[in-house]
Amino acid sequence: MTSATILGCAGLRLDRDERAFFREADPWGFILFGRNVETPEQIYRLTNDLREAVGRDCAILIDQEGGRVQRLRAPHWREWLPPLEQPGGPEAFRLRARIMAAELRAVGIDANCAPTCDVAGPQTHPFLRNRCLGTDPETVALKARALAEGLLAGGVLPVMKHMPGHGRATADSHLHLPVVSAPEEELEADFAPFCALNDLPMGMTAHIRFTALDDAPATQSPRLIRLIREHIGFDGLLMTDDIAMQALSGTMAARAAASVAAGCDVVLHCNGDRAEMEEVVAAAGALRAVERAEAALARRLVPEPVDIAALAAELEALAG
């Protein structure tokens, strides 16, 4: 039975033991990182092997935002500016995403952990700031919509993040739990881009605590998951951010169980550590959000052929 997990793999190829583990664990999907990337041919073999291990056309995700957070890099792939530094308006982001999608689909990757819908502010931690799309909710929403449309047109599922908003964080959630003390009414600006894109197929939670709303980080807060579902209006497949990040505390099993109990559909574990993955799979249990998962995959369309060189020339012209 498919588990409510998305897992990473250890290296450039699957060994026999890892393949057998994935066959038994049956995660809903996989995510790739730099340690898994060498050449286009190697990634294509790896994505095929991952799908063969679980016996279905599962989703395979990556973080391909541009700038620092870009797993596919030169010389085999285009180098992209950080999103906040990309010249041009929404159409530039649509073209950028469509070109990205073509590169991802060519190697068997069909979901991208983007757009980042967090609103950048003067206080936003440097780990996140230039990954954002703008400094006001309206700009973020417009560019995020365009980026999502470009990915979908290219057959790649967008995963908007970090719900319900990470822009006020002054700490790096990879290392510490960010705590935001803004009053609830001020947080509406953070929620706004997610509200505008609440029809997207997938979303990712934030490991961030809002003192005005709950003592628990959003990933493990039933109140904040209800806010995502009811106030923001998101009914897509909701995955956690990587639960191995140090913003969360406790064992991997405890982190996974708390996330599922709060209302997250799928638990993301990225580092490929076998012992940790075994804990996470056992604690996350079987996928219960089957309809949401199927609805997300149904939006993974076969892209229409396009002239990528022409799109790249158009993007360059828009970017000045």
Side-chain angles (χ1 to χ4, degrees), residues 15-289:
D15 62 29
R16 183 178 300 177
D17 288 345
E18 196 172 25
R19 191 185 299 262
F21 167 69
F22 288 142
R23 184 176 297 113
E24 181 178 356
D26 195 16
W28 182 77
F30 296 95
I31 188 165
L32 301 185
F33 279 79
R35 65 179 183 272
N36 309 122
V37 172
E38 187 176 58
T39 66
E41 296 77 17
Q42 168 266 324
I43 298 179
Y44 189 72
R45 286 194 300 270
L46 178 59
T47 55
N48 281 340
D49 288 346
L50 288 167
R51 291 187 170 109
E52 184 180 284
V54 295
R56 56 192 160 78
D57 188 17
C58 66
I60 297 183
L61 296 78
I62 200 164
D63 292 289
Q64 190 75 351
E65 299 173 12
R68 289 175 293 111
V69 182
Q70 178 175 336
R71 312 307 180 195
L72 306 186
R73 310 205 74 112
H76 298 294
W77 298 277
R78 288 172 175 79
E79 289 287 337
W80 298 97
L81 289 170
L84 196 61
E85 299 171 20
Q86 172 68 56
E91 184 59 24
F93 281 85
R94 184 178 291 105
L95 291 168
R96 170 182 165 122
R98 181 64 185 85
I99 297 166
M100 276 188 180
E103 294 191 328
L104 297 177
R105 282 288 295 228
V107 293
I109 297 168
D110 55 15
N112 189 11
C113 296
T116 300
C117 294
D118 307 311
V119 180
Q123 80 289 347
T124 305
H125 192 281
F127 101 91
L128 177 66
R129 193 174 195 281
N130 71 355
R131 299 164 56 194
C132 300
L133 296 170
T135 57
D136 64 86
E138 295 79 12
T139 298
V140 171
L142 287 171
K143 291 181 177 179
R145 172 64 68 184
L147 194 153
E149 288 175 351
L151 291 174
L152 285 165
V156 172
L157 297 175
V159 182
M160 67 170 171
K161 60 188 184 185
H162 305 83
M163 301 176 78
H166 211 303
R168 295 177 190 268
T170 59
D172 181 350
S173 55
H174 294 85
L175 305 174
H176 309 282
L177 175 63
V179 178
V180 171
S181 57
E184 187 171 356
E185 57 271 18
E186 289 184 15
L187 298 176
E188 287 298 325
D190 301 60
F191 306 156
F194 299 101
C195 294
L197 276 78
N198 64 12
D199 60 319
L200 291 190
M202 297 178 66
M204 177 188 290
T205 63
H207 298 333
I208 186 168
R209 179 183 165 220
F210 298 96
T211 59
L213 299 174
D214 201 350
D215 290 334
T219 300
Q220 298 177 339
S221 165
R223 179 177 180 184
L224 283 162
I225 301 303
R226 282 197 304 275
L227 182 146
I228 289 169
R229 294 300 191 194
E230 298 171 8
H231 183 72
I232 288 175
F234 178 70
D235 193 39
L237 190 72
L238 185 63
M239 57 188 278
T240 71
D241 203 345
D242 180 13
I243 64 160
M245 291 162 63
Q246 295 312 301
L248 303 183
S249 59
T251 65
M252 291 301 149
R255 298 179 191 193
S259 301
V260 171
C264 293
D265 296 324
V266 181
V267 176
L268 175 67
H269 182 275
C270 295
N271 66 23
D273 181 280
R274 173 70 171 274
E276 289 186 5
M277 288 191 292
E278 289 176 352
E279 282 190 61
V280 170
V281 169
L287 179 69
R288 291 180 286 183

